[in-house]
Amino acid sequence: MINRIASIISSTLVYSAPLILTAIGGVFSESSGVVNVGLEGIMVIGSFTSIVFNLTFGGMFGDWTPWIGLLVGGLAGVLFASIHAVATVNLRADHIISGTVLNLIAPSLGVFLTRVIFDGRGQTDFIKESFGYFNFPVLKEIPVIGRIFFQSTSLPAYFAIVMTFIAWWLLNKTRFGLRLRSVGEHPQAADTLGINVYGMKYAGVLLSGFFGGMGGAVLAQSISLNFSVSTITGQGFMSMAAMIFGQWNPIGAMLAALFFGFAQSLSVVGSQIPVIKSVPPVLLQIAPYVITIVALVLFVGQSFGPKAIGKTYIKSK
């Protein structure tokens, strides 16, 4: 029984880690008032970049390769998100349209570059240096709890959880977070207090790119282990749903992402859960998307984001 629970929790953490990181990114962007539906595209770029880096430098950095690839994926996400920042802040484009364009560009760009780099093939080679499973020293020896939470588990998931609390502290306990949230609530009032509204919006969007890129990098280096057009299949939208479900709060978004991660893992661990082991596998595979839609339908009307979210700010007004 303990082994079964441990397997379910471990699988849930593996699938939750990318969603947690990307949802945190969405919180930063939308706290500044910029809607970022381009999280899916940002994850695609992060996953592609991390896999290419991993394949290129795996022999040089060894076990550290996935973690450096995580950072590289985050930086690639920042560059890609800067397109959204320029479009929405400087060019005053519609936030939804700009984000949708990112989602359309990213998969095509990723597949094109894959074909260029990998001799016309539509997917990359599989990486040898992946995140894999991790055993926490000392903690794994704790009776029952150690077996469930700290043996053969996902270290990136615990990294994502730590980043969640850092993000909460940054948004709620620092001057930067207060200014970012004030820009998302009432940019005109923030401007009169001397806050650089455009700068804060840029910061929010670029942070969303960094976290979204890391989310894509974690997924690619722990689940798919290569890059193809099907590496990212809706996880960015699930992260947005987690952000909304979590009321634009990093901790709430993390808890929602854990729930969606569990839904994603059902196709892997469903056979170990007595209640659903008889459910056809195809239904378990579509379950995360159905649950995402149901959650949005039930809770989106009860969720209240920043008051100025999605509104273009013009300094002269």
Side-chain angles (χ1 to χ4, degrees):
M1 182 65 178
I2 293 178
N3 289 339
R4 180 184 299 172
I5 295 173
S7 177
I8 293 171
I9 290 178
S10 176
S11 182
T12 297
L13 289 174
V14 168
Y15 283 91
S16 297
L19 304 182
I20 293 172
L21 289 170
T22 308
I24 293 172
V27 171
F28 275 110
S29 180
E30 302 208 357
S31 292
S32 72
V34 179
V35 178
N36 192 354
V37 299
L39 293 174
E40 179 93 354
I42 292 171
M43 288 186 75
V44 171
I45 295 301
S47 63
F48 167 77
T49 309
S50 65
I51 290 294
V52 172
F53 174 86
N54 195 306
L55 290 169
T56 304
F57 296 100
M60 182 183 301
F61 296 111
D63 293 341
W64 283 100
T65 306
W67 291 102
I68 302 174
L70 179 73
L71 178 61
V72 171
L75 294 176
V78 170
L79 291 176
F80 196 62
S82 65
I83 299 173
H84 188 54
V86 172
T88 56
V89 178
N90 295 104
L91 302 182
R92 301 171 185 171
D94 182 274
H95 297 195
I96 304 298
I97 293 176
S98 176
T100 302
V101 169
L102 294 189
N103 291 336
L104 294 174
I105 291 175
S108 302
L109 178 62
V111 171
F112 171 75
L113 293 176
T114 298
R115 291 186 181 277
V116 170
I117 298 172
F118 295 92
D119 301 322
R121 287 178 290 160
Q123 63 181 28
T124 68
D125 297 328
F126 285 89
I127 59 174
K128 296 180 180 179
E129 302 292 341
S130 64
F131 282 114
Y133 290 94
F134 182 79
N135 294 314
F136 283 90
V138 182
L139 295 177
K140 67 180 181 180
E141 306 298 336
I142 300 175
V144 183
I145 294 177
R147 176 69 188 91
I148 294 175
F149 292 103
F150 302 119
Q151 287 187 29
S152 298
T153 190
S154 170
L155 189 56
Y158 285 93
F159 167 76
I161 292 170
V162 170
M163 293 304 295
T164 297
F165 287 98
I166 292 176
W168 179 87
W169 173 80
L170 193 63
L171 281 170
N172 294 280
K173 300 297 181 179
T174 67
R175 179 180 298 178
F176 168 79
L178 177 61
R179 291 181 174 184
L180 189 75
R181 291 188 293 116
S182 68
V183 166
E185 290 291 337
H186 202 305
Q188 286 83 7
D191 196 0
T192 60
L193 295 175
I195 297 174
N196 186 340
V197 174
Y198 292 158
M200 286 292 105
K201 288 182 178 292
Y202 260 89
V205 176
L206 296 183
L207 279 170
S208 76
F210 184 67
F211 280 97
M214 287 199 298
V218 167
L219 189 150
Q221 295 181 105
S222 61
I223 299 174
S224 69
L225 305 184
N226 79 331
F227 176 81
S228 68
V229 70
S230 61
T231 298
I232 306 297
T233 53
Q235 286 85 356
F237 296 109
M238 288 184 196
S239 300
M240 282 196 66
M243 174 194 67
I244 296 171
F245 194 39
Q247 297 284 338
W248 288 267
N249 182 301
I251 296 176
M254 176 196 71
L255 295 175
L258 286 169
F259 172 71
F260 289 130
F262 170 71
Q264 273 195 291
S265 71
L266 287 178
S267 60
V268 177
V269 300
S271 61
Q272 302 179 42
I273 304 176
V275 178
I276 64 173
K277 65 180 181 180
S278 60
V279 177
V282 66
L283 295 181
L284 295 179
Q285 291 172 3
I286 67 173
Y289 309 101
V290 175
I291 291 173
T292 301
I293 293 172
V294 171
L296 286 176
V297 170
L298 293 178
F299 294 99
V300 72
Q302 304 174 24
S303 300
F304 301 97
K307 293 181 180 178
I309 192 169
K311 298 179 181 178
T312 300
Y313 174 67
I314 302 175
K315 188 176 179 64
S316 59
K317 288 189 176 182

